[in-house]
Amino acid sequence: MKFRVIKSALVDAVSQVSKAVSSKTTIPILTGIKIAVDEDGLTLTGSNSDITIQVHVPVKKEDLDQVFVEKIGSIVLPGRIFGELVRKLPGDEVEWITNDQFQTTIRSDMAEFQLNGLDPVEYPRLPYLSTDQMFSISADALKSLIRQTGFAVAAKEARGVLTGVLFQLENGVLTCIATDSHRLSKQQAQVEASPEVTLKNVIVPGKSLSELAKTLGDYSGYVDILIAENQILVKTDEFSFYSRLLDGTYPDTNRVIPERGETELVSSTKELLQSVDRASLISRDGRDNVIKWTIKDGKVEVHSTAQDIGSVSEEVNAKVNGPEMSISFNARYMIEALRSIESDEIRIQFTGAMTPFMIQPTDRDDSLHLIVPVRTR
Amino acid sequence: MKFRVIKSALVDAVSQVSKAVSSKTTIPILTGIKIAVDEDGLTLTGSNSDITIQVHVPVKKEDLDQVFVEKIGSIVLPGRIFGELVRKLPGDEVEWITNDQFQTTIRSDMAEFQLNGLDPVEYPRLPYLSTDQMFSISADALKSLIRQTGFAVAAKEARGVLTGVLFQLENGVLTCIATDSHRLSKQQAQVEASPEVTLKNVIVPGKSLSELAKTLGDYSGYVDILIAENQILVKTDEFSFYSRLLDGTYPDTNRVIPERGETELVSSTKELLQSVDRASLISRDGRDNVIKWTIKDGKVEVHSTAQDIGSVSEEVNAKVNGPEMSISFNARYMIEALRSIESDEIRIQFTGAMTPFMIQPTDRDDSLHLIVPVRTR
């Protein structure tokens, strides 16, 4: 295996695949990064037991030569050292030779590294995913779906399927749902798919999705998503992102979403968020981080109190319809929901002091957040 | 106690004193911040068992009124909550009322906080330091002294006086020395002091100095330094920084500093630093992070190898005088010394493969770093 590569292209690729490489793994070879070179260019792969990221560095990019292949081949190098080494190489171009004993020489300017590599045949093969269950979505829409639902998954592994986000696809509409049973977030987006593609119970681990969002970064083109029995693949020209799926059946959440509320308020997302954030400074030292809203004509009174510490009171202007009411809830759930909403204005509908209330942006109807209130003491 | 204050001035002061406040302390009242107001303005104090930071917010700053005093007084408020609360207040001006039961009302725009405070008489008094042992130094020179020596103190508490930096003052020259017995850093600076002020064995904890550097921040005026039996006070118009001193006698380090070397090299600080940094990628996975230099005519060959991982070789251009030699040392010591040096070019003098070598900037003679080599295997 012998090639030269423009350093910056190698640095970018290594930093992408490194996100999937863990130093703590029961499979030693997965602490490594696999580097393969063929006539098309370089392919780097990093993996852990949950996700795999593969990045391709083509020989030419926008008419610029970036990989100069002399002899094809592949190798696995220790991930952490290789990643740092590449970033710290002195020159602009890297010369690479791997011999038959997997010893790899990496030269750049006046520096020469010798690294002991591992046999690439030991590296796990990537799963094959057919294009039967495939759809396309803009990267921005996908990032928005992750941003609006990912925070609401259950944090504890013991919660099983609730640690993942449910992906459902029907009639070209993708619906993502996450809940930890105290709150629920749901968002929909149009996708490009043949009419016969339908997804019912695809559950993607929340952690994988937050890594996917990082991998997507600023990418704003379309991505292809392929689904198999226990794998999801998100694919662009530049990278492939694989994640395992969660086993089990996601609960039916449709029945918990109320039709409409009795009392309704419309207010500024930012002002409500900041007031809840301030109130939670006091409440979060209490055990349950509970704050109280009193919804009156023209305003929301925000109140929170914690023994030994003190209290906070604040008013936020709001358009209110329906009877006056008081409701208590976990401030963190509200903060996370409001932070995820990109619209300036939200509508909140309340069905009662003890039943879930529904938060929605006023300018779109494909997104909602549900929070279960807390019994007021 | 009743006053109003411009929020930004309060935010700045709180963020400064918060650096001294620890949530882990055996003296509960030290988790708080003391706020006192009198005719001159506000004074905030934060403290832990090592350092105390006091910041003054005068009633007027550059002709702008910033504190409006109605009734003088003082109070201690829980540090962490108070700090976050102040940062998150909505308005530009803060209204403050503390009643006789130490209950404090903080109002800003539509938000009102009630905090339970503590009796300020319980707060420890600041030590009194006479101006007998006093000198003045520019903040930039003081920051440079800290930067060039602070990293070389011993990390382990068990090393006693070696966890501090020695301050010596004689004939208007301040000498700072730090060593952990494997390396030594020494820097001098001119100060303004009466001729009779002499310091011999003043040992300031390394941790206190790094906090002091943060407190000094961008401040570039002169600071007054006052020394007492077991305290140092660094003082400007805006803040006072107190630290305890370390007990014990600092060892005499003069005898370990060689007169001059047999082999001498002059090279670029940055190029040497980067090459050592790269070599340490390999060596630091070994137990002792040792790299080897071979100093030849016109160059330094940098080499490092670690079993199972690989090796690195590199050449750096250098002007060399004296016989060719090889020397091995801990890469981290070299990296930290070279990073602290602000000059573009350095001179390194070697007295032998097993005796300390001396690193100095070529453009000044008030600064040196000493590293003890490691026996080559």
Side-chain angles (χ1 to χ4, degrees):
Chain A
M1 175 180 185
K2 190 171 176 188
F3 64 93
R4 286 177 297 128
V5 58
I6 299 301
K7 187 181 75 175
S8 57
L10 185 61
V11 169
D12 289 348
V14 171
S15 94
Q16 284 280 41
V17 302
S18 291
K19 289 175 192 138
V21 179
S22 162
S23 52
K24 287 173 266 168
T25 168
T26 48
I27 310 163
I29 201 161
L30 291 187
T31 60
I33 291 173
K34 184 179 171 190
I35 303 99
V37 67
D38 63 17
E39 294 79 5
D40 296 330
L42 267 182
T43 303
L44 278 75
T45 312
S47 184
N48 59 41
S49 45
D50 288 327
I51 63 168
T52 298
I53 301 174
Q54 190 166 74
V55 174
H56 187 61
V57 184
V59 287
K60 245 187 208 301
K61 189 180 177 183
E62 289 157 10
D63 278 352
L64 280 174
D65 293 317
Q66 51 179 12
V67 187
F68 309 86
V69 185
E70 283 190 46
K71 194 176 166 207
I72 66 169
S74 60
I75 184 72
V76 176
L77 292 180
R80 193 180 53 74
I81 289 187
F82 172 59
E84 289 191 48
L85 177 160
V86 166
R87 265 194 302 281
K88 291 184 172 174
L89 286 173
D92 297 327
E93 200 179 281
V94 179
E95 198 185 332
W96 186 300
I97 304 163
T98 298
N99 71 16
D100 295 341
Q101 283 75 49
F102 312 118
Q103 277 197 323
T104 299
T105 304
I106 298 171
R107 244 182 243 127
S108 176
D109 210 355
M110 302 262 267
E112 179 179 305
F113 284 89
Q114 303 271 2
L115 284 181
N116 300 330
L118 295 167
D119 188 346
V121 303
E122 306 284 332
Y123 199 85
R125 293 218 183 173
L126 289 180
Y128 168 74
L129 283 89
S130 87
T131 51
D132 292 352
Q133 297 272 62
M134 180 181 130
F135 61 93
S136 299
I137 182 171
S138 83
D140 287 336
L142 180 58
K143 280 181 267 184
S144 172
L145 286 169
I146 296 172
R147 187 177 142 82
Q148 304 264 336
T149 58
F151 66 88
V153 301
K156 289 195 188 130
E157 292 287 345
R159 303 302 300 273
V161 291
L162 295 191
T163 62
V165 174
L166 177 68
F167 280 56
Q168 287 180 321
L169 177 60
E170 211 177 334
N171 303 323
V173 175
L174 177 66
T175 305
C176 288
I177 296 173
T179 179
D180 63 3
S181 81
H182 302 293
R183 35 90 181 261
L184 177 147
S185 292
K186 174 176 169 177
Q187 180 155 303
Q188 296 182 312
Q190 295 286 338
V191 303
E192 287 178 15
S194 354
E196 65 269 23
V197 178
T198 304
L199 302 174
K200 286 222 177 306
N201 187 55
V202 174
I203 312 166
V204 188
K207 277 187 199 164
S208 299
L209 290 175
S210 66
E211 286 306 323
L212 172 58
K214 287 182 213 160
T215 302
L216 288 166
D218 294 334
Y219 185 82
S220 62
Y222 264 69
V223 302
D224 290 336
I225 300 188
L226 283 72
I227 309 279
E229 181 78 309
N230 56 6
Q231 285 279 333
I232 181 171
L233 164 58
V234 179
K235 212 168 131 70
T236 71
D237 291 344
E238 293 171 13
F239 65 84
S240 300
F241 182 101
Y242 296 79
S243 169
R244 71 179 176 101
L245 297 177
L246 292 175
D247 280 338
T249 305
Y250 204 84
D252 178 16
T253 55
N254 283 316
R255 57 185 176 76
V256 300
I257 301 172
E259 288 287 307
R260 60 178 302 281
E262 216 181 325
T263 300
E264 184 187 290
L265 77 82
V266 172
S267 184
S268 150
T269 315
K270 190 176 158 194
E271 283 180 33
L272 275 179
L273 172 58
Q274 291 180 340
S275 70
V276 174
D277 194 24
R278 278 189 287 269
S280 104
L281 284 176
I282 298 290
S283 64
R284 125 192 126 181
D285 268 30
R287 204 185 37 181
D288 45 12
N289 197 6
V290 170
I291 69 168
K292 185 179 171 183
W293 273 5
T294 304
I295 299 115
K296 288 188 172 162
D297 197 22
K299 66 184 178 191
V300 181
E301 288 174 7
V302 183
H303 186 79
S304 139
T305 183
Q307 213 171 358
D308 302 335
I309 297 167
S311 63
V312 53
S313 305
E314 187 165 352
E315 287 181 11
V316 178
N317 294 325
K319 277 170 262 170
V320 176
N321 273 315
E324 180 177 325
M325 69 171 300
S326 289
I327 199 158
S328 297
F329 53 84
N330 184 312
R332 182 167 66 86
Y333 297 158
M334 179 64 86
I335 290 170
E336 290 179 347
L338 294 182
R339 266 197 199 132
S340 80
I341 294 174
E342 285 143 28
S343 308
D344 292 339
E345 209 180 50
I346 49 164
R347 169 181 296 112
I348 310 187
Q349 296 182 68
F350 303 90
T351 52
M354 285 315 299
T355 48
F357 57 92
M358 193 160 55
I359 308 166
Q360 286 172 293
T362 52
D363 60 354
R364 53 193 291 179
D365 55 6
D366 56 1
S367 168
L368 75 83
H369 302 279
L370 213 68
I371 295 176
V372 180
V374 171
R375 192 174 295 276
T376 326
R377 287 149 303 179
Chain B
M1 175 181 187
K2 191 173 175 188
F3 63 92
R4 286 176 298 129
V5 58
I6 299 302
K7 188 181 77 177
S8 58
L10 184 61
V11 169
D12 289 350
V14 171
S15 94
Q16 284 279 45
V17 301
S18 291
K19 288 174 193 138
V21 180
S22 159
S23 52
K24 287 173 264 166
T25 168
T26 48
I27 310 163
I29 201 161
L30 290 186
T31 61
I33 290 173
K34 184 178 170 191
I35 303 101
V37 66
D38 63 16
E39 294 78 6
D40 297 331
L42 270 180
T43 303
L44 278 74
T45 311
S47 184
N48 59 41
S49 45
D50 289 328
I51 63 168
T52 299
I53 301 175
Q54 191 167 74
V55 174
H56 187 61
V57 183
V59 289
K60 247 187 207 302
K61 189 179 177 183
E62 289 157 11
D63 278 352
L64 279 174
D65 293 316
Q66 50 178 12
V67 187
F68 309 87
V69 185
E70 282 189 48
K71 195 176 165 205
I72 66 168
S74 62
I75 182 73
V76 176
L77 292 180
R80 192 180 53 75
I81 290 187
F82 173 60
E84 289 193 45
L85 178 162
V86 165
R87 266 195 301 281
K88 291 186 172 173
L89 285 174
D92 297 327
E93 199 179 280
V94 178
E95 197 186 332
W96 186 301
I97 303 165
T98 298
N99 70 16
D100 294 343
Q101 283 77 49
F102 312 120
Q103 277 197 322
T104 299
T105 305
I106 298 171
R107 245 182 244 127
S108 177
D109 210 353
M110 304 264 264
E112 179 179 303
F113 284 88
Q114 302 272 0
L115 285 181
N116 300 330
L118 294 167
D119 189 347
V121 303
E122 306 285 331
Y123 200 84
R125 293 214 185 176
L126 290 179
Y128 168 77
L129 284 89
S130 87
T131 51
D132 292 353
Q133 296 271 63
M134 181 180 131
F135 61 93
S136 299
I137 182 170
S138 85
D140 287 338
L142 180 58
K143 280 181 269 183
S144 172
L145 286 169
I146 296 172
R147 188 178 142 81
Q148 305 264 339
T149 57
F151 67 87
V153 301
K156 289 194 186 130
E157 292 288 345
R159 303 301 300 273
V161 292
L162 295 190
T163 61
V165 174
L166 177 67
F167 279 56
Q168 287 180 320
L169 177 60
E170 211 176 335
N171 304 324
V173 175
L174 177 66
T175 305
C176 288
I177 296 173
T179 179
D180 62 3
S181 81
H182 302 293
R183 33 92 181 260
L184 176 148
S185 293
K186 173 177 169 177
Q187 181 155 303
Q188 296 182 312
Q190 295 286 337
V191 303
E192 287 177 13
S194 351
E196 67 270 24
V197 178
T198 304
L199 302 173
K200 287 224 176 305
N201 187 55
V202 174
I203 311 165
V204 189
K207 277 187 198 165
S208 299
L209 290 174
S210 65
E211 287 303 322
L212 172 59
K214 287 183 211 158
T215 302
L216 287 166
D218 295 333
Y219 185 84
S220 61
Y222 265 70
V223 302
D224 290 336
I225 300 187
L226 283 71
I227 309 279
E229 180 77 313
N230 55 5
Q231 286 280 331
I232 180 171
L233 164 60
V234 180
K235 213 168 127 72
T236 72
D237 290 344
E238 292 170 13
F239 66 83
S240 300
F241 182 101
Y242 296 80
S243 168
R244 71 181 175 98
L245 297 177
L246 292 175
D247 280 338
T249 305
Y250 205 85
D252 178 17
T253 56
N254 283 317
R255 56 184 178 77
V256 301
I257 300 172
E259 287 287 307
R260 57 178 305 282
E262 215 180 328
T263 300
E264 182 187 291
L265 77 84
V266 172
S267 184
S268 150
T269 314
K270 191 177 158 193
E271 282 179 34
L272 275 180
L273 172 58
Q274 290 179 342
S275 71
V276 175
D277 194 24
R278 278 189 288 269
S280 104
L281 285 176
I282 299 290
S283 63
R284 118 191 132 182
D285 268 31
R287 206 185 34 183
D288 46 11
N289 197 6
V290 170
I291 70 170
K292 185 178 172 183
W293 272 4
T294 304
I295 298 117
K296 289 189 172 164
D297 197 21
K299 66 184 177 189
V300 181
E301 288 174 4
V302 183
H303 186 79
S304 141
T305 183
Q307 211 170 0
D308 302 334
I309 297 167
S311 63
V312 54
S313 305
E314 187 165 347
E315 286 181 11
V316 179
N317 293 326
K319 278 169 262 168
V320 175
N321 273 316
E324 180 176 323
M325 68 172 300
S326 289
I327 198 158
S328 297
F329 53 85
N330 184 313
R332 182 167 65 86
Y333 298 159
M334 181 62 87
I335 290 171
E336 290 179 347
L338 295 182
R339 268 199 197 131
S340 81
I341 293 174
E342 285 142 28
S343 308
D344 292 340
E345 210 180 49
I346 49 165
R347 170 181 296 111
I348 309 188
Q349 295 183 70
F350 304 88
T351 51
M354 286 314 299
T355 48
F357 57 93
M358 193 160 56
I359 308 164
Q360 285 172 295
T362 52
D363 60 355
R364 53 192 293 179
D365 55 5
D366 56 2
S367 169
L368 76 83
H369 301 278
L370 213 69
I371 295 176
V372 180
V374 171
R375 190 175 298 275
T376 325
R377 285 150 306 178

